[in-house]
Amino acid sequence: MEEQIDKDWKLKLRYGKLQTPFQHFTVLAEGIVGDLEEGFSCPTGSAWMGMKVWATDSEEAADMIQVIGENIGFTVTGKIEVYSTEPVQPPSENPHGYDIQFTPYKED
């Protein structure tokens, strides 16, 4: 049943029956992981943070990864890349981020 609901919102969005002022993006940010909030895990140090967002535009999406990152223990120190992507979750009444992931890396 859940899969049917999932298909319905995507079809409604595609054909204009579900309206939203937001666009969907995937945002990647280079930075430093510190003490992460409960529910998130990544070794401290250099990492990329990835997040899917519903935002008004790409600038807001970039701002969101910085603010949300700071709130959960990640500091953006490098590049921020924003890509227009297909949504996995439906839009809501406000801009929001979801599916936050971290990928650690070692600096040379």
Side-chain angles (χ1 to χ4, degrees):
M1 181 69 181
E2 187 175 318
E3 188 174 320
Q4 185 63 40
I5 293 168
D6 186 52
K7 286 183 182 178
D8 286 348
W9 74 260
K10 284 186 179 183
L11 285 172
K12 288 177 181 176
L13 187 65
R14 176 171 291 154
Y15 294 109
K17 292 187 182 208
L18 174 60
Q19 299 284 324
T20 180
F22 308 118
Q23 299 172 47
H24 191 270
F25 301 97
T26 297
V27 188
L28 303 173
E30 186 177 19
I32 303 292
V33 171
D35 263 343
L36 290 175
E37 289 290 316
E38 191 172 327
F40 299 97
S41 65
C42 183
T44 57
S46 300
W48 282 90
M49 177 179 165
M51 178 173 72
K52 293 176 175 63
V53 301
W54 281 101
T56 53
D57 57 29
S58 60
E59 281 187 34
E60 182 177 50
D63 289 344
M64 287 172 68
I65 201 165
Q66 292 181 73
V67 171
I68 292 170
E70 284 179 24
N71 288 338
I72 62 174
F74 178 81
T75 303
V76 175
T77 60
K79 294 192 306 186
I80 296 176
E81 300 176 8
V82 181
Y83 302 93
S84 180
T85 56
E86 285 293 315
V88 178
Q89 292 184 5
S92 62
E93 292 184 21
N94 297 304
H96 72 280
Y98 64 97
D99 195 16
I100 297 170
Q101 299 182 19
F102 296 95
T103 305
Y105 69 91
K106 299 229 184 273
E107 297 208 46
D108 293 334

